[in-house]
Amino acid sequence: MPERKSVALTIAGSDPSGGAGIQADLKTFHQFGVYGEAVITLVTVQNTVEVKRVEVLAADLVAQQIRAVVSDIPPRAAKTGALGNWEIIEVVSAAAADFSFPLVVDPVILTKHHAALLTADAIEALKTLLFPRAFLLTPNLEEASMLTRTNVCDVPSMRKAAETLVAMGPKAVLVKGGHLTGDAVDILFYEGEWMEFTSPRIETLHTHGTGCTYSAAITASLAAGDDLRTAVGKAKRYITEAIRSNPGLGAGSGPVNHHAGGYSNVT
């Protein structure tokens, strides 16, 4: 009997250009040697230059997708990305109440081109309904600022934001400092302890899908059995190399390199 393969689930939107959303998540899961499942929440019309259209799926359709995959091929870890509106957050949160595996919540609010992927009222739903179900929350600086209604712009304010966000319910918060001046410093707050994950800043336009890819790498590592600190460390090294070795595709902000390293070497 072959060893049962680790399984990871993404609940997120579709990016037809392949750089972000479920496409990026599934590529990342595969690179980490994890079987990927995907529940689609919304469909976008976008490329590396612009986002032209966002269509959110019916909430009951999203709920049915989740039940279908979890009942038949239960994952060992899951993540959320763009959820679209209050109704979808509500059904995802209800489903997550029965999850026996860790849930990574990437609070996607805007695209890289600042197109809205979440309605204004749904931001409150994220806080009140989904955050208490989350094992890990992974906001970038802009998302952390919006969620805490403060200016998160440096390491001290990142730490303060992490404390504020943990108080909303997630067991851990990773505030990502990819937009800091200088080194890219990410702050993890977990079980009352702090960890910093630092990498040199890579000057490139091609960073489309970094948040999706980073959270997917953490999810894949958790699904493979790693503890949170190890998972974040592996994911940080993976996303750094993925940015550094980006393939330079598209006329705008192109995708990162999802082939970066081999999952067996992402240690």
Side-chain angles (χ1 to χ4, degrees), residues 27-34 217 220-221 226 233-235 237-239 241-242 244-245 257-267:
K27 291 174 187 178
T28 303
F29 291 167
H30 184 80
Q31 192 67 4
F32 274 70
V34 170
S221 191
D226 289 324
K234 286 185 178 181
R237 288 186 284 276
Y238 173 71
I239 192 59
E241 178 59 20
R244 189 199 65 77
S245 61
N257 175 24
H258 292 100
H259 296 292
Y263 75 90
S264 60
N265 296 320
V266 183
T267 56

mmCIF file of all heavy atoms in Angstrom, residues 27-34 217 220-221 226 233-235 237-239 241-242 244-245 257-267:
data_model
loop_
_atom_site.group_PDB
_atom_site.id
_atom_site.type_symbol
_atom_site.label_atom_id
_atom_site.label_comp_id
_atom_site.label_asym_id
_atom_site.label_seq_id
_atom_site.Cartn_x
_atom_site.Cartn_y
_atom_site.Cartn_z
ATOM 1 N N LYS A 27 0.019 25.374 -8.376
ATOM 2 C CA LYS A 27 1.413 25.205 -8.812
ATOM 3 C C LYS A 27 2.340 25.063 -7.605
ATOM 4 O O LYS A 27 3.262 24.243 -7.602
ATOM 5 C CB LYS A 27 1.845 26.409 -9.658
ATOM 6 C CG LYS A 27 1.180 26.515 -11.007
ATOM 7 C CD LYS A 27 1.578 27.821 -11.687
ATOM 8 C CE LYS A 27 0.812 28.044 -12.973
ATOM 9 N NZ LYS A 27 1.160 29.333 -13.614
ATOM 10 N N THR A 28 2.074 25.879 -6.587
ATOM 11 C CA THR A 28 2.914 25.838 -5.392
ATOM 12 C C THR A 28 2.733 24.534 -4.632
ATOM 13 O O THR A 28 3.707 23.914 -4.184
ATOM 14 C CB THR A 28 2.585 27.033 -4.479
ATOM 15 O OG1 THR A 28 2.773 28.248 -5.223
ATOM 16 C CG2 THR A 28 3.471 27.047 -3.251
ATOM 17 N N PHE A 29 1.496 24.097 -4.471
ATOM 18 C CA PHE A 29 1.240 22.810 -3.815
ATOM 19 C C PHE A 29 2.028 21.709 -4.521
ATOM 20 O O PHE A 29 2.676 20.870 -3.884
ATOM 21 C CB PHE A 29 -0.252 22.454 -3.863
ATOM 22 C CG PHE A 29 -1.146 23.330 -3.015
ATOM 23 C CD1 PHE A 29 -2.528 23.276 -3.188
ATOM 24 C CD2 PHE A 29 -0.645 24.188 -2.056
ATOM 25 C CE1 PHE A 29 -3.373 24.048 -2.417
ATOM 26 C CE2 PHE A 29 -1.485 24.973 -1.278
ATOM 27 C CZ PHE A 29 -2.859 24.903 -1.460
ATOM 28 N N HIS A 30 1.957 21.695 -5.837
ATOM 29 C CA HIS A 30 2.640 20.663 -6.619
ATOM 30 C C HIS A 30 4.145 20.728 -6.405
ATOM 31 O O HIS A 30 4.804 19.688 -6.247
ATOM 32 C CB HIS A 30 2.307 20.841 -8.099
ATOM 33 C CG HIS A 30 2.877 19.780 -8.978
ATOM 34 N ND1 HIS A 30 2.297 18.537 -9.128
ATOM 35 C CD2 HIS A 30 3.990 19.765 -9.752
ATOM 36 C CE1 HIS A 30 3.029 17.800 -9.960
ATOM 37 N NE2 HIS A 30 4.052 18.522 -10.341
ATOM 38 N N GLN A 31 4.691 21.930 -6.375
ATOM 39 C CA GLN A 31 6.132 22.077 -6.198
ATOM 40 C C GLN A 31 6.590 21.561 -4.840
ATOM 41 O O GLN A 31 7.721 21.103 -4.692
ATOM 42 C CB GLN A 31 6.530 23.551 -6.372
ATOM 43 C CG GLN A 31 8.016 23.798 -6.485
ATOM 44 C CD GLN A 31 8.616 23.215 -7.775
ATOM 45 O OE1 GLN A 31 7.915 22.684 -8.632
ATOM 46 N NE2 GLN A 31 9.926 23.310 -7.906
ATOM 47 N N PHE A 32 5.696 21.609 -3.841
ATOM 48 C CA PHE A 32 6.018 21.095 -2.513
ATOM 49 C C PHE A 32 5.657 19.613 -2.360
ATOM 50 O O PHE A 32 5.727 19.066 -1.261
ATOM 51 C CB PHE A 32 5.298 21.921 -1.446
ATOM 52 C CG PHE A 32 6.047 23.155 -1.024
ATOM 53 C CD1 PHE A 32 6.179 24.232 -1.882
ATOM 54 C CD2 PHE A 32 6.633 23.236 0.234
ATOM 55 C CE1 PHE A 32 6.872 25.369 -1.500
ATOM 56 C CE2 PHE A 32 7.325 24.366 0.629
ATOM 57 C CZ PHE A 32 7.451 25.437 -0.245
ATOM 58 N N GLY A 33 5.271 18.971 -3.460
ATOM 59 C CA GLY A 33 4.974 17.546 -3.417
ATOM 60 C C GLY A 33 3.649 17.216 -2.758
ATOM 61 O O GLY A 33 3.455 16.114 -2.253
ATOM 62 N N VAL A 34 2.716 18.174 -2.766
ATOM 63 C CA VAL A 34 1.434 18.011 -2.097
ATOM 64 C C VAL A 34 0.320 17.984 -3.146
ATOM 65 O O VAL A 34 0.337 18.777 -4.099
ATOM 66 C CB VAL A 34 1.210 19.176 -1.103
ATOM 67 C CG1 VAL A 34 -0.203 19.181 -0.561
ATOM 68 C CG2 VAL A 34 2.215 19.088 0.037
ATOM 69 N N ALA A 217 2.523 28.169 -0.048
ATOM 70 C CA ALA A 217 3.707 27.410 0.363
ATOM 71 C C ALA A 217 3.627 27.049 1.842
ATOM 72 O O ALA A 217 3.990 25.930 2.245
ATOM 73 C CB ALA A 217 4.966 28.217 0.072
ATOM 74 N N ALA A 220 1.044 24.239 2.103
ATOM 75 C CA ALA A 220 1.589 22.968 1.621
ATOM 76 C C ALA A 220 2.520 22.351 2.656
ATOM 77 O O ALA A 220 2.491 21.135 2.899
ATOM 78 C CB ALA A 220 2.330 23.189 0.306
ATOM 79 N N SER A 221 3.343 23.178 3.264
ATOM 80 C CA SER A 221 4.278 22.684 4.272
ATOM 81 C C SER A 221 3.540 22.154 5.498
ATOM 82 O O SER A 221 3.900 21.113 6.059
ATOM 83 C CB SER A 221 5.254 23.795 4.661
ATOM 84 O OG SER A 221 6.317 23.295 5.433
ATOM 85 N N ASP A 226 4.807 19.772 8.653
ATOM 86 C CA ASP A 226 5.730 20.688 9.328
ATOM 87 C C ASP A 226 4.999 21.528 10.379
ATOM 88 O O ASP A 226 3.815 21.837 10.230
ATOM 89 C CB ASP A 226 6.390 21.628 8.318
ATOM 90 C CG ASP A 226 7.393 20.916 7.428
ATOM 91 O OD1 ASP A 226 8.077 20.003 7.929
ATOM 92 O OD2 ASP A 226 7.485 21.262 6.241
ATOM 93 N N GLY A 233 9.337 29.340 7.516
ATOM 94 C CA GLY A 233 10.726 29.429 7.064
ATOM 95 C C GLY A 233 10.916 28.855 5.671
ATOM 96 O O GLY A 233 11.577 29.463 4.820
ATOM 97 N N LYS A 234 10.346 27.697 5.410
ATOM 98 C CA LYS A 234 10.441 27.094 4.076
ATOM 99 C C LYS A 234 9.772 27.978 3.030
ATOM 100 O O LYS A 234 10.307 28.196 1.930
ATOM 101 C CB LYS A 234 9.783 25.716 4.072
ATOM 102 C CG LYS A 234 10.570 24.626 4.761
ATOM 103 C CD LYS A 234 9.873 23.280 4.593
ATOM 104 C CE LYS A 234 10.663 22.159 5.222
ATOM 105 N NZ LYS A 234 9.996 20.837 5.031
ATOM 106 N N ALA A 235 8.577 28.481 3.383
ATOM 107 C CA ALA A 235 7.827 29.308 2.441
ATOM 108 C C ALA A 235 8.567 30.605 2.132
ATOM 109 O O ALA A 235 8.566 31.072 0.986
ATOM 110 C CB ALA A 235 6.440 29.604 3.004
ATOM 111 N N ARG A 237 11.812 31.110 2.151
ATOM 112 C CA ARG A 237 12.925 30.820 1.247
ATOM 113 C C ARG A 237 12.427 30.552 -0.172
ATOM 114 O O ARG A 237 13.046 30.980 -1.156
ATOM 115 C CB ARG A 237 13.739 29.634 1.784
ATOM 116 C CG ARG A 237 14.556 29.995 3.019
ATOM 117 C CD ARG A 237 15.461 28.866 3.460
ATOM 118 N NE ARG A 237 14.732 27.806 4.140
ATOM 119 C CZ ARG A 237 14.419 27.824 5.427
ATOM 120 N NH1 ARG A 237 14.740 28.865 6.182
ATOM 121 N NH2 ARG A 237 13.773 26.804 5.984
ATOM 122 N N TYR A 238 11.296 29.859 -0.251
ATOM 123 C CA TYR A 238 10.725 29.551 -1.573
ATOM 124 C C TYR A 238 10.289 30.821 -2.296
ATOM 125 O O TYR A 238 10.627 31.034 -3.466
ATOM 126 C CB TYR A 238 9.547 28.598 -1.399
ATOM 127 C CG TYR A 238 8.757 28.338 -2.664
ATOM 128 C CD1 TYR A 238 9.277 27.572 -3.700
ATOM 129 C CD2 TYR A 238 7.469 28.853 -2.816
ATOM 130 C CE1 TYR A 238 8.547 27.328 -4.854
ATOM 131 C CE2 TYR A 238 6.729 28.612 -3.961
ATOM 132 C CZ TYR A 238 7.276 27.856 -4.983
ATOM 133 O OH TYR A 238 6.554 27.619 -6.129
ATOM 134 N N ILE A 239 9.539 31.698 -1.633
ATOM 135 C CA ILE A 239 9.033 32.888 -2.311
ATOM 136 C C ILE A 239 10.172 33.838 -2.668
ATOM 137 O O ILE A 239 10.137 34.494 -3.717
ATOM 138 C CB ILE A 239 7.952 33.603 -1.465
ATOM 139 C CG1 ILE A 239 7.230 34.661 -2.302
ATOM 140 C CG2 ILE A 239 8.529 34.214 -0.202
ATOM 141 C CD1 ILE A 239 6.528 34.148 -3.533
ATOM 142 N N GLU A 241 13.245 32.974 -3.562
ATOM 143 C CA GLU A 241 13.861 32.440 -4.778
ATOM 144 C C GLU A 241 12.915 32.567 -5.973
ATOM 145 O O GLU A 241 13.360 32.824 -7.101
ATOM 146 C CB GLU A 241 14.264 30.977 -4.567
ATOM 147 C CG GLU A 241 14.872 30.298 -5.784
ATOM 148 C CD GLU A 241 16.129 30.979 -6.311
ATOM 149 O OE1 GLU A 241 16.780 31.744 -5.564
ATOM 150 O OE2 GLU A 241 16.465 30.751 -7.499
ATOM 151 N N ALA A 242 11.606 32.410 -5.736
ATOM 152 C CA ALA A 242 10.627 32.542 -6.817
ATOM 153 C C ALA A 242 10.611 33.953 -7.381
ATOM 154 O O ALA A 242 10.464 34.146 -8.598
ATOM 155 C CB ALA A 242 9.241 32.157 -6.310
ATOM 156 N N ARG A 244 13.264 36.100 -7.106
ATOM 157 C CA ARG A 244 14.592 36.326 -7.693
ATOM 158 C C ARG A 244 14.702 35.731 -9.087
ATOM 159 O O ARG A 244 15.298 36.334 -9.992
ATOM 160 C CB ARG A 244 15.673 35.717 -6.792
ATOM 161 C CG ARG A 244 17.098 36.083 -7.205
ATOM 162 C CD ARG A 244 18.119 35.132 -6.622
ATOM 163 N NE ARG A 244 17.969 33.779 -7.147
ATOM 164 C CZ ARG A 244 18.376 33.410 -8.365
ATOM 165 N NH1 ARG A 244 18.954 34.282 -9.185
ATOM 166 N NH2 ARG A 244 18.204 32.171 -8.773
ATOM 167 N N SER A 245 14.115 34.551 -9.287
ATOM 168 C CA SER A 245 14.262 33.836 -10.556
ATOM 169 C C SER A 245 13.032 33.975 -11.450
ATOM 170 O O SER A 245 12.782 33.132 -12.302
ATOM 171 C CB SER A 245 14.542 32.356 -10.284
ATOM 172 O OG SER A 245 13.467 31.762 -9.565
ATOM 173 N N ASN A 257 8.411 32.778 -10.182
ATOM 174 C CA ASN A 257 8.774 31.469 -10.725
ATOM 175 C C ASN A 257 8.298 30.360 -9.790
ATOM 176 O O ASN A 257 8.931 30.081 -8.771
ATOM 177 C CB ASN A 257 10.291 31.384 -10.913
ATOM 178 C CG ASN A 257 10.742 30.007 -11.347
ATOM 179 O OD1 ASN A 257 9.971 29.240 -11.930
ATOM 180 N ND2 ASN A 257 11.993 29.678 -11.056
ATOM 181 N N HIS A 258 7.188 29.728 -10.134
ATOM 182 C CA HIS A 258 6.652 28.665 -9.283
ATOM 183 C C HIS A 258 7.464 27.375 -9.366
ATOM 184 O O HIS A 258 7.234 26.451 -8.586
ATOM 185 C CB HIS A 258 5.185 28.402 -9.633
ATOM 186 C CG HIS A 258 4.285 29.537 -9.279
ATOM 187 N ND1 HIS A 258 3.845 30.461 -10.208
ATOM 188 C CD2 HIS A 258 3.783 29.929 -8.082
ATOM 189 C CE1 HIS A 258 3.092 31.359 -9.605
ATOM 190 N NE2 HIS A 258 3.034 31.065 -8.322
ATOM 191 N N HIS A 259 8.431 27.331 -10.273
ATOM 192 C CA HIS A 259 9.328 26.174 -10.360
ATOM 193 C C HIS A 259 10.559 26.352 -9.474
ATOM 194 O O HIS A 259 11.463 25.515 -9.504
ATOM 195 C CB HIS A 259 9.793 25.953 -11.801
ATOM 196 C CG HIS A 259 8.694 25.608 -12.755
ATOM 197 N ND1 HIS A 259 8.002 24.419 -12.699
ATOM 198 C CD2 HIS A 259 8.150 26.308 -13.786
ATOM 199 C CE1 HIS A 259 7.091 24.399 -13.656
ATOM 200 N NE2 HIS A 259 7.158 25.523 -14.335
ATOM 201 N N ALA A 260 10.618 27.402 -8.711
ATOM 202 C CA ALA A 260 11.811 27.702 -7.918
ATOM 203 C C ALA A 260 12.153 26.550 -6.983
ATOM 204 O O ALA A 260 11.308 26.089 -6.203
ATOM 205 C CB ALA A 260 11.587 28.967 -7.082
ATOM 206 N N GLY A 261 13.383 26.091 -7.059
ATOM 207 C CA GLY A 261 13.817 24.998 -6.186
ATOM 208 C C GLY A 261 13.005 23.746 -6.410
ATOM 209 O O GLY A 261 12.120 23.683 -7.240
ATOM 210 N N GLY A 262 13.279 22.720 -5.641
ATOM 211 C CA GLY A 262 12.432 21.538 -5.593
ATOM 212 C C GLY A 262 11.922 21.456 -4.180
ATOM 213 O O GLY A 262 12.620 21.820 -3.241
ATOM 214 N N TYR A 263 10.692 21.007 -3.988
ATOM 215 C CA TYR A 263 10.133 21.007 -2.651
ATOM 216 C C TYR A 263 11.009 20.206 -1.680
ATOM 217 O O TYR A 263 11.116 20.524 -0.506
ATOM 218 C CB TYR A 263 8.701 20.472 -2.639
ATOM 219 C CG TYR A 263 8.593 18.975 -2.793
ATOM 220 C CD1 TYR A 263 8.603 18.139 -1.682
ATOM 221 C CD2 TYR A 263 8.465 18.402 -4.041
ATOM 222 C CE1 TYR A 263 8.509 16.774 -1.817
ATOM 223 C CE2 TYR A 263 8.367 17.035 -4.191
ATOM 224 C CZ TYR A 263 8.383 16.215 -3.078
ATOM 225 O OH TYR A 263 8.291 14.870 -3.214
ATOM 226 N N SER A 264 11.689 19.176 -2.196
ATOM 227 C CA SER A 264 12.545 18.377 -1.323
ATOM 228 C C SER A 264 13.776 19.169 -0.871
ATOM 229 O O SER A 264 14.421 18.813 0.106
ATOM 230 C CB SER A 264 12.994 17.118 -2.063
ATOM 231 O OG SER A 264 13.724 17.437 -3.232
ATOM 232 N N ASN A 265 14.082 20.257 -1.630
ATOM 233 C CA ASN A 265 15.239 21.070 -1.273
ATOM 234 C C ASN A 265 14.857 22.358 -0.551
ATOM 235 O O ASN A 265 15.717 23.161 -0.214
ATOM 236 C CB ASN A 265 16.023 21.437 -2.548
ATOM 237 C CG ASN A 265 16.588 20.202 -3.230
ATOM 238 O OD1 ASN A 265 17.052 19.302 -2.556
ATOM 239 N ND2 ASN A 265 16.510 20.154 -4.538
ATOM 240 N N VAL A 266 13.553 22.600 -0.379
ATOM 241 C CA VAL A 266 13.105 23.809 0.297
ATOM 242 C C VAL A 266 13.138 23.537 1.783
ATOM 243 O O VAL A 266 12.149 23.167 2.410
ATOM 244 C CB VAL A 266 11.682 24.208 -0.160
ATOM 245 C CG1 VAL A 266 11.258 25.500 0.508
ATOM 246 C CG2 VAL A 266 11.628 24.388 -1.666
ATOM 247 N N THR A 267 14.319 23.628 2.377
ATOM 248 C CA THR A 267 14.494 23.265 3.779
ATOM 249 C C THR A 267 15.005 24.441 4.583
ATOM 250 O O THR A 267 15.356 25.467 4.027
ATOM 251 C CB THR A 267 15.472 22.104 3.890
ATOM 252 O OG1 THR A 267 16.713 22.450 3.261
ATOM 253 C CG2 THR A 267 14.922 20.870 3.226
#
